[in-house]
Amino acid sequence: MYSVIVVPPACAHPDSQIRIASGESLTFGRSETPGGLTIAHEGVHRIAGEISAQRDFWLLTNRSAEQTYVVENPEGAGEHIKVTPGRVDAPVAFEFSRVVLPAAGDLLTFDVWAPRQVFAGTDTRELPGPVTAPAFTLDRTKRYFAVLAALCEPRLRGEPHAPTPAVDQLVQRLRPAWPTVNRSSVYWNIDYLALKLRVRPGPEAAEPGRRAHGKKDTLASLALRFDLVREDDLVVLAAPAHEGCG
């Protein structure tokens, strides 16, 4: 049974995809090897690396002596893994991955699809003792959550390196769902989120002109890192917002 599918660059037909069973390996690089993935670019090593299928995940070996490879999660709003030169069998657990190979000024990519991950059911049995406090408490019906969603939207829409929106951009984006929004109300909600999520900008944002920018960046990074805002949550930017900010 095949567990991993490798999609070559510019693959236009399913017949061109390469399927690997658990325990099998695939070599990729500039050289044409039987059953391997050929990447015809002068900046790619003859044997650049190897992919090994392991049930519902896969391993990446970097055969380069000087170049780091990056494995991106296109569904993870910037989530990625760095595989340093010479690293053997680095585990990759993304269901959908994009391998990025720097090559003589170009960034070459190919995709790897792994099986759907399996999750254990939630144990709802009551145990003695106090209830565990939630890590984050966010009300998705409040306007502060709409502001947080707008901060995260560019990266959730598939632009992992997109800059955090400016306050004026946030005002324009929030206006369909929040007609009375203005710069002051956006700033208020950013400050409220920073207090609620206990966010403190780094030292580089300590200057008065950079404080709001530092908070926005930190809020977006925190929300995306811990999945506080997902792509499905962006519906709050189109739906009528409830009254109240806090």
Side-chain angles (χ1 to χ4, degrees), residues 92-155:
V92 180
F94 304 145
E95 289 183 13
F96 177 32
S97 305
R98 178 163 296 131
V99 181
V100 183
L101 309 177
D106 293 325
L107 293 178
L108 309 179
T109 66
F110 62 89
D111 296 337
V112 179
W113 300 342
R116 185 180 298 275
Q117 297 171 353
V118 177
F119 296 90
T122 303
D123 189 349
T124 58
R125 292 176 298 175
E126 292 294 331
L127 298 176
V131 177
T132 303
F136 304 99
T137 54
L138 293 173
D139 186 340
R140 283 164 167 74
T141 69
K142 300 297 184 181
R143 283 176 173 163
Y144 70 73
F145 187 79
V147 172
L148 187 60
L151 282 171
C152 298
E153 183 181 33
R155 297 179 196 177

Side-chain angles (χ1 to χ4, degrees), residues 25-83:
S25 298
L26 170 75
T27 298
F28 63 89
R30 191 170 83 247
S31 295
E32 295 186 12
T33 57
L37 170 62
T38 302
I39 304 175
H41 190 288
E42 62 181 5
V44 176
H45 288 282
R46 290 178 175 82
I47 303 296
E50 186 176 273
I51 290 170
S52 301
Q54 299 290 327
R55 299 179 61 183
D56 62 349
F57 69 100
W58 53 281
L59 307 172
L60 176 62
T61 294
N62 182 351
R63 298 295 183 191
S64 170
E66 68 282 333
Q67 187 58 64
T68 294
Y69 299 160
V70 174
V71 183
E72 298 178 341
N73 176 8
E75 300 175 318
E79 186 179 13
H80 67 276
I81 297 170
K82 294 193 295 183
V83 182

